[in-house]
Structure formats: structure tokens, C-alpha cells
Amino acid sequence: MDTKQLIAAVRKACDEATNWAVTGWEMRWGMNQVPVNTLAEAKAKPATFVNRQEALAYWSDIEEMGAECAACGTKALAALEKGDLGAAANAVYFAKFTEKKFNKQTPTWGSLSDTLHGLL
């Protein structure tokens, strides 16, 4: 993978991470397993929804983690533009580590981290 491809992959991962709370994924809450799959859905739930606060907290955390990962991606982009593959790999690894806290498969940052570390 050349530098241009790496930069494109990091930008794509940054976009995905920034939008995790917007695009969401299936999450169910409470005994009735009520789906609340995005931050917008959590905000739209009435105050009487028993698990509203938990859903809001979860999706707010996801939004924050996505922003943290995107910030790491921005650092990786700057490093790639300077030709510092090691710094880029470290920044992307931190994003992978952050993503792993809520998704062990790390679909956004995992393979990119593996690719960068494989190039070192």
C-alpha cells in the first residue's frame, strides 16, 4: 500500500469514526429489548423510557470515542505527510485500542493498524 492509499484509508476511517453515533448499530435496552441504535434515537426517546439515560450515556460515549479516534487519525495523516510511518502506525494503533473498548473486532481501525505495523 503506497502513501496515497494509506492517507485515503486513514481519512475513510476518520469519517467512519466521526459518524459512529450517527450511523450506529443495533443496540437493545432493558427487559423488553427496545432498540435504540443511534444517538439521535436515544435523544428522541421520551423521558418516560426507563433506559433513556443509559442509552444516551452509551451513544454519547460512542460519539466521544469516535472523535478521539478521528483525532488520532488526524495525527496519523500529519505523520504520513511527513513520511513518518512509525508515528502514523502509533496513532492508528491508539485509535484501534480505543475502538476495541466497545468493539473487539475493531472494524474501523484494526486492519489499518495491522497494515501500518506490517510496513514498519
Side-chain angles (χ1 to χ4, degrees):
M1 194 178 267
D2 69 13
T3 303
K4 286 183 181 184
Q5 291 172 317
L6 288 171
I7 288 172
V10 171
R11 284 189 177 132
K12 181 178 184 265
C14 287
D15 289 341
E16 286 180 25
T18 300
N19 288 301
W20 281 337
V22 175
T23 57
W25 45 79
E26 186 174 339
M27 288 296 297
R28 297 186 173 273
W29 302 90
M31 289 176 46
N32 293 328
Q33 294 292 291
V34 176
V36 182
N37 300 327
T38 65
L39 180 56
E41 287 181 25
K43 289 178 179 178
K45 288 291 181 193
T48 56
F49 175 56
V50 174
N51 299 100
R52 183 176 192 271
Q53 292 301 315
E54 289 86 351
L56 279 170
Y58 175 82
W59 286 111
S60 294
D61 285 347
I62 296 301
E63 182 178 52
E64 188 176 310
M65 282 192 252
E68 287 178 25
C69 289
C72 291
T74 300
K75 289 179 185 178
L77 288 171
L80 286 170
E81 289 172 1
K82 292 178 186 175
D84 189 348
L85 199 57
N90 289 338
V92 169
Y93 177 78
F94 188 77
K96 174 184 175 180
F97 180 77
T98 301
E99 181 181 20
K100 194 171 202 152
K101 292 176 185 178
F102 63 89
N103 190 337
K104 291 180 183 177
Q105 288 77 33
T106 62
T108 304
W109 296 99
S111 63
L112 183 56
S113 176
D114 295 344
T115 298
L116 282 165
H117 279 90
L119 295 172
L120 294 177

